């Protein structure tokens, strides 16, 4: 009896130990080896995982751990405490400002990700699209093509993705700026979450590469990284110039839940969240503001500009990156 | 003294105690997420979520598409599983190897391959368009994705059930003049029904919860898993959890009932 009771205690102890191990935080690391745990917009995946993350880890000595997904989705997970990154990089500041003031009070903008129209080089429309991209045909032709019956256009969901919002607003701005018939906006886009052309972020890129769309929305960086032909758009409608923020704001759309969203420049914004491994987190943001980080962004198809700091309590080491 | 002791306490080896401990741990680990979900979602939140405009549509989409996917699996998967289990031909072994390759593919990869195979600008996609079908963001696409995701659970389960049928019984039926078709309907099917139902129930849970292939080829129309995903991205975790619970409530009863029924049927 006695021995079986001892065994019971041991068995319970083993259970508790194993459970304790399961519940233990794996994110903690000694001060001597801190980690930049970066949650970033899905479009930054290739750049962060392929270039910046490894280069940062090598040059700084800190660890790097990345995770890419839709910016708004990540903000929701961070707010709910589901994930606890110490750096958050989004496209557009809205996902970061959702986390103010509880998780952060500032962000820095340092690169822009202009929107473009990528196209399938094997589609019957390709010759015309190529002429538009070379400037041999006017850009207005692109919008009449997008509106033509049978043209397969792909975009992402404006309710969940900043690129989806920007593409919708881009069409709106383009039709206005080029004095095209206003019916084109509805003709090209249909409903906000139009089942005929709205795909998940993952699926849209796959479909493009599989050649199953005639054209689609994309960031210029995606087009360059995926080696897809694309039509560049003028700065007045491509959401890639922070100086034109006022012009972009004239475009707006109403999301499914009734929220009205105005156009904002598609900037890469970064912030540090909380105090967990703060030195590594600060160093990661700083790395991107310095010349090697900027070069990587330019090489990947982004445009870079002098860092713009927004908010309060910006860490001194980040503000004085140079 | 020992007679009043619970059988568990009569164990004498450390190994058995470790086995008990690890069983408890595994059980807690497996049931933990469900308990967490139940603790996090209040009934009022479920009611609120389901009262949102259009909130019930994903429920209908999920149940409808999964039922059709299951019907397709029963009609096509049962003869396939029977052939794989009972045919001595060498060609069938090759067929089995090909099937296994397809059936064991990760759902996300299946989705990507389906784009290459059934996209609107592929030959098969063109053929589908001729009969006014599209495997891109349609109810049909959702069914295709669900069939692919659920097929392994039914076909492989049914195959192992058919393998286990007593060959002697089938031989006797042959001697009595039964045709292969009669042998199937008179012996194989009735004997296998409990396990087939179990396999079908697991396939139901997989079909209604299909996500990996669905997010690639059927982002629309929203079924419950896509509704969970988009709500998570639009308004956050707390608003997405009620849909997750509804998904569980819809997907679990059939597998649980089938499991208990098949256990009773087996004695």
């Amino acid at each position: 009896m006695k021995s079986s009771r001892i065994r019971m205690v041991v068995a319970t102890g083993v259970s508790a130990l194993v459970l304790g191990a399961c519940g233990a935080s794996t994110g903690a690391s000694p001060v001597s080896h801190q980690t930049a745990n970066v949650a970033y917009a899905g479009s930054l995946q290739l750049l962060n995982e392929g270039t910046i993350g490894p280069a940062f880890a090598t040059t700084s000595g800190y660890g790097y751990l990345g995770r890419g997904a839709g910016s708004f989705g990540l903000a929701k997970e961070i707010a709910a405490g589901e994930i606890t990154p110490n750096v958050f990089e989004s496209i557009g500041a809205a996902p970061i400002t959702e986390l103010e003031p509880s998780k952060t009070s500032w962000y820095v903008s340092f690169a822009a990700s202009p929107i473009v129209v990528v196209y399938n080089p094997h589609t019957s429309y390709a010759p015309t699209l190529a002429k538009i991209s070379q400037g041999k045909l006017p850009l207005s032709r692109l919008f009449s093509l997008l509106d033509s019956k049978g043209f397969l256009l792909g975009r992402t969901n404006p309710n969940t993705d900043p690129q989806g919002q920007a593409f919708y607003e881009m069409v709106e701005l383009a039709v206005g700026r080029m004095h095209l018939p206003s019916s084109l906006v509805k003709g090209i886009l249909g409903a906000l979450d139009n089942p005929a052309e709205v795909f998940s972020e993952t699926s849209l890129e796959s479909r493009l590469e599989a050649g199953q769309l005639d054209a689609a929305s994309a960031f210029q960086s995606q087009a360059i990284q995926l080696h897809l032909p694309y039509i560049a758009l003028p700065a007045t409608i491509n959401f890639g110039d922070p100086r034109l923020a006022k012009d972009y704001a004239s475009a707006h759309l109403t999301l499914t839940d009734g929220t009205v969203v105005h156009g904002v420049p598609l900037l890469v914004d970064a912030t540090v969240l909380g105090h967990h491994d703060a030195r590594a987190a600060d160093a990661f943001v700083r790395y991107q503001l310095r010349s090697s980080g900027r070069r990587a962004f330019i090489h990947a198809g982004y445009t870079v500009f002098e860092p713009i700091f927004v908010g309060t309590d910006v860490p001194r080491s980040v503000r004085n990156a140079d | 003294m020992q007679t009043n002791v619970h059988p568990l306490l009569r164990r004498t080896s450390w190994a058995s105690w470790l086995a008990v401990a690890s069983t408890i741990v595994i059980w807690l680990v497996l049931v933990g997420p469900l308990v967490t979900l139940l603790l996090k979602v209040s009934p009022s939140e479920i009611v609120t979520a389901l009262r949102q405009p259009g909130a019930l549509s994903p429920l209908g989409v999920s149940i409808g598409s999964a039922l059709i996917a299951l019907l397709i699996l029963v009609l096509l998967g049962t003869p396939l599983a029977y052939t794989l289990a009972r045919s001595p031909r060498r060609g069938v072994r090759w067929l089995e190897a090909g099937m296994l390759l397809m059936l064991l593919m990760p759902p996300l990869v299946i989705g990507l391959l389906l784009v290459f195979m059934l996209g609107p600008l592929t030959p098969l996609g063109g053929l589908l368009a001729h009969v006014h079908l599209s495997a891109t963001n349609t109810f049909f696409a959702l069914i295709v994705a669900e069939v692919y995701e659920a097929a392994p659970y039914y076909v492989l389960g049914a195959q192992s059930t058919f393998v286990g049928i007593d060959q002697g019984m089938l031989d006797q039926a042959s001697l009595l003049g039964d045709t292969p078709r009669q042998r199937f309907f008179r012996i194989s099917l009735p004997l296998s029904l409990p396990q087939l139902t179990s396999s079908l129930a697991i396939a139901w849970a997989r079909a209604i919860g299909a996500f990996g292939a669905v997010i690639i080829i059927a982002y629309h129309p929203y079924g419950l898993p896509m509704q969970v995903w988009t709500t998570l991205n639009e308004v956050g975790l707390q608003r997405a959890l009620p849909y997750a619970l509804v998904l569980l409530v819809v997907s679990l009863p059939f597998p649980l009932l089938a499991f208990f029924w098949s256990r009773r049927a087996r004695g």
Side-chain angles (χ1 to χ4, degrees), chain B residues 72-94:
Chain B
I72 292 168
L73 281 178
V74 169
L75 293 178
L76 301 179
T78 313
L80 174 69
Y82 193 72
T83 307
L84 290 175
R86 313 296 310 175
S87 176
R89 292 191 190 125
R90 182 175 296 198
V92 171
R93 299 283 72 85
W94 284 106

Side-chain angles (χ1 to χ4, degrees), chain B residues 18-35:
Chain B
L18 273 177
V20 172
S22 59
T23 305
I24 293 170
V25 169
I26 290 166
W27 190 85
L28 286 171
V29 168
L30 287 176
V31 176
L34 181 62
V35 174

